[in-house]
């Protein structure tokens, strides 16, 4: 076996080398995603349903909380911009109506929308129109640094003895919740923090989500009272929507789809999806090639992945292509 460290954009080389990309999680039996070139993009078939994921998880009950669920898969699809909310059209209509108002409209982002990479997937909204309550920032940063203990890794290996090499890569690395916070939510937060307006919550950060939710809503209500502006909370949490209604705060609730069907996407979106899956799942298999989002020896560069080849010729071909691309990039030739 041969390993190579690559960047996210270099996944494009892997995509180009495969006629068909079959994505699976090594501990599960069967593919959950199959991508085939179609026109200028990819056709995505999704053979594993929510029920299929539940069946896979049931075989590893003691450690199921750390293994990929259907919701994790759906979150990666949302963050990649491939799957949308069922009521996205209604939100787009609402945006048009807000443009007619004389007062300025600001959009407060609930924590869950950072995990869905809402800002990246809605480029039509100016970053300066977003409000970030410091409680949201704290919730993201609090979730980032939970790491696997040696005891937890031993438990996972005991439940899946045939996959110790893969699980061993996760020792002292981020747990699943922390991977989602770091690779999805934190990257999204960093992309807008310089232009968005950050506001202070009326109460301290709490480890109770209900208390944090109240702080977020009350911070936006205070902003509305002090400024001639309309803050609108954007959320995918029905509890938060109920809280906004009770507090008299304008909001929009995004409804996530229950299931996902065959769809299509652009090559950049598919590349982003592969990265998100490797990062959130910890590792995935693309055909016979392993892609690790977390691995032993990984530093602070969230953009890096490790690919592992069983076929030496495939490894040599891929390494050569990567090196050529890096040399061309180093020339600094603009498009």
């Amino acid at each position: 076996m041969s390993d190579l460290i690559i960047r996210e954009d270099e996944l494009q080389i892997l995509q180009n080398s495969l006629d068909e990309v079959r994505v699976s999680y090594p501990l599960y039996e069967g593919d959950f995603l199959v991508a085939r070139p179609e026109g200028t993009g990819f056709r995505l078939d999704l053979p594993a349903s929510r029920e299929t994921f539940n069946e896979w998880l049931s075989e590893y009950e003691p450690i199921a909380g750390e293994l990929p669920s259907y919701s994790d898969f759906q979150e990666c699809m949302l963050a990649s911009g491939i799957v949308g909310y069922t009521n996205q059209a209604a939100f787009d209509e609402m945006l048009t109506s807000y443009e007619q108002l004389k007062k300025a409209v600001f959009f407060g982002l609930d924590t869950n929308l950072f995990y869905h990479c809402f800002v990246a997937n809605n480029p039509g909204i100016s970053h300066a129109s977003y409000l970030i309550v410091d409680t949201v920032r704290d919730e993201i940063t609090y979730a980032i640094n939970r790491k696997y203990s040696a005891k937890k890794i031993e438990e996972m290996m005991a439940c899946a003895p045939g996959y110790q090499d893969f699980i061993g890569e996760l020792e002292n690395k981020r747990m699943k919740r922390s991977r989602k916070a770091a690779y999805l939510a934190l990257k999204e937060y960093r992309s807008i923090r310089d232009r968005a307006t950050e506001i202070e919550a009326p109460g301290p950060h709490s480890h109770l989500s209900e208390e944090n939710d109240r702080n977020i809503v009350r911070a936006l209500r205070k902003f509305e009272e002090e400024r001639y502006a309309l803050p609108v909370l954007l959320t995918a949490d029905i509890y938060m929507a109920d809280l906004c209604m009770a507090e008299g705060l304008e909001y929009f609730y995004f409804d996530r789809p229950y299931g996902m069907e065959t769809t299509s996407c652009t090559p950049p979106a598919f590349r982003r999806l592969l990265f998100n899956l490797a990062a959130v799942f910890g590792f995935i298999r693309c055909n016979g090639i392993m892609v690790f989002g977390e691995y032993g020896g990984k530093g602070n560069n969230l953009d890096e992945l490790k690919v592992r080849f069983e076929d030496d010729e495939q490894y040599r071909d891929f390494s050569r292509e990567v090196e050529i691309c890096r040399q061309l990039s180093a020339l600094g030739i603009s498009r």
Side-chain angles (χ1 to χ4, degrees):
M1 293 185 295
S2 301
D3 295 348
L4 184 67
I5 305 301
I6 66 169
R7 301 187 307 269
E8 177 189 340
D9 59 354
E10 291 170 340
L11 279 172
Q12 187 66 52
I13 302 170
L14 180 63
Q15 291 175 210
N16 295 345
S17 69
L18 303 172
D19 295 330
E20 175 183 84
V21 186
R22 307 189 71 89
V23 185
S24 61
Y25 183 68
L27 279 66
Y28 298 163
E29 186 177 350
D31 303 322
F32 62 83
L33 171 67
V34 180
R36 300 180 177 90
E38 184 177 77
T40 58
F42 287 91
R43 172 188 171 89
L44 305 183
D45 290 315
L46 312 174
S49 65
R50 186 180 295 272
E51 290 70 29
T52 304
F53 268 84
N54 289 340
E55 289 173 6
W56 286 336
L57 284 168
S58 66
E59 298 179 17
Y60 301 98
E61 190 60 39
I63 60 170
E66 284 302 315
L67 299 186
S69 67
Y70 188 81
S71 293
D72 297 325
F73 180 29
Q74 186 183 68
E75 205 156 42
C76 289
M77 293 281 278
L78 279 165
S80 305
I82 297 173
V83 166
Y85 304 106
T86 60
N87 58 344
Q88 180 70 42
F91 176 71
D92 294 339
E93 290 180 8
M94 188 194 73
L95 279 180
T96 302
S97 67
Y98 281 149
E99 291 173 359
Q100 312 304 318
L101 297 180
K102 292 183 178 180
K103 62 168 61 176
V105 178
F106 290 86
F107 298 103
L109 293 167
D110 196 5
T111 311
N112 46 69
L113 291 197
F114 281 93
Y115 286 84
H116 299 170
C117 298
F118 175 86
V119 174
N121 294 320
N122 288 269
I125 303 176
S126 168
H127 289 187
S129 297
Y130 288 115
L131 299 174
I132 305 175
V133 181
D134 59 8
T135 301
V136 171
R137 179 204 63 207
D138 292 344
E139 283 190 322
I140 294 171
T141 54
Y142 175 72
I144 285 173
N145 291 318
R146 295 187 177 185
K147 295 183 178 182
Y148 289 108
S149 64
K151 182 178 179 181
K152 186 63 179 181
I153 292 296
E154 288 176 5
E155 180 187 1
M156 294 173 69
M157 286 182 171
C159 290
Y163 305 96
Q164 295 186 1
D165 288 347
F166 304 144
I167 296 172
E169 295 278 357
L170 299 176
E171 185 168 356
N172 201 35
K173 308 310 291 185
R174 294 182 182 89
M175 300 180 74
K176 186 174 76 171
R177 181 187 174 193
S178 291
R179 294 196 298 268
K180 290 199 286 186
Y183 289 100
L184 301 181
L186 181 62
K187 290 180 77 173
E188 182 81 346
Y189 168 73
R190 286 175 173 173
S191 73
I192 68 166
R193 64 182 174 184
D194 292 338
R195 293 194 61 200
T197 300
E198 190 162 303
I199 57 178
E200 186 177 350
H205 174 75
S206 169
H207 299 322
L208 299 175
S209 60
E210 294 84 357
E211 187 60 36
N212 288 335
D213 288 346
R214 283 191 286 271
N215 275 333
I216 293 168
V217 171
R218 289 169 182 169
L220 293 174
R221 286 285 289 124
K222 183 179 179 182
F223 179 88
E224 183 176 18
E225 292 167 359
E226 296 178 348
R227 299 272 297 270
Y228 182 68
L230 176 66
V232 181
L233 180 69
L234 306 181
T235 183
D237 180 355
I238 192 63
Y239 171 80
M240 185 63 105
D242 291 341
L243 188 57
C244 288
M245 188 178 297
E247 294 283 345
L249 179 69
E250 187 86 4
Y251 72 94
F252 188 90
Y253 167 71
F254 290 99
D255 192 16
R256 285 170 281 190
Y258 176 80
M260 299 181 292
E261 300 177 348
T262 296
T263 186
S264 60
C265 70
T266 63
F270 183 55
R271 184 178 69 236
R272 184 65 186 163
L273 175 61
L274 288 181
F275 177 86
N276 288 343
L277 289 170
V280 171
F281 286 24
F283 46 79
I284 57 173
R285 179 184 282 122
C286 295
N287 298 34
I289 304 164
M290 289 295 301
V291 183
F292 294 87
E294 288 280 279
Y295 51 88
K298 182 169 183 174
N300 293 324
N301 191 342
L302 296 179
D303 189 46
E304 288 184 342
L305 302 162
K306 179 167 75 174
V307 288
R308 175 172 294 170
F309 295 84
E310 295 181 359
D311 185 292
D312 288 340
E313 183 177 354
Q314 200 173 30
Y315 167 74
R316 287 193 296 270
D317 289 344
F318 182 77
S319 298
R320 183 177 62 253
E321 294 293 329
V322 168
E323 184 58 32
I324 291 172
C325 288
R326 288 176 180 176
Q327 291 176 1
L328 289 173
S329 296
L331 296 177
I333 301 173
S334 59
R335 294 183 180 179

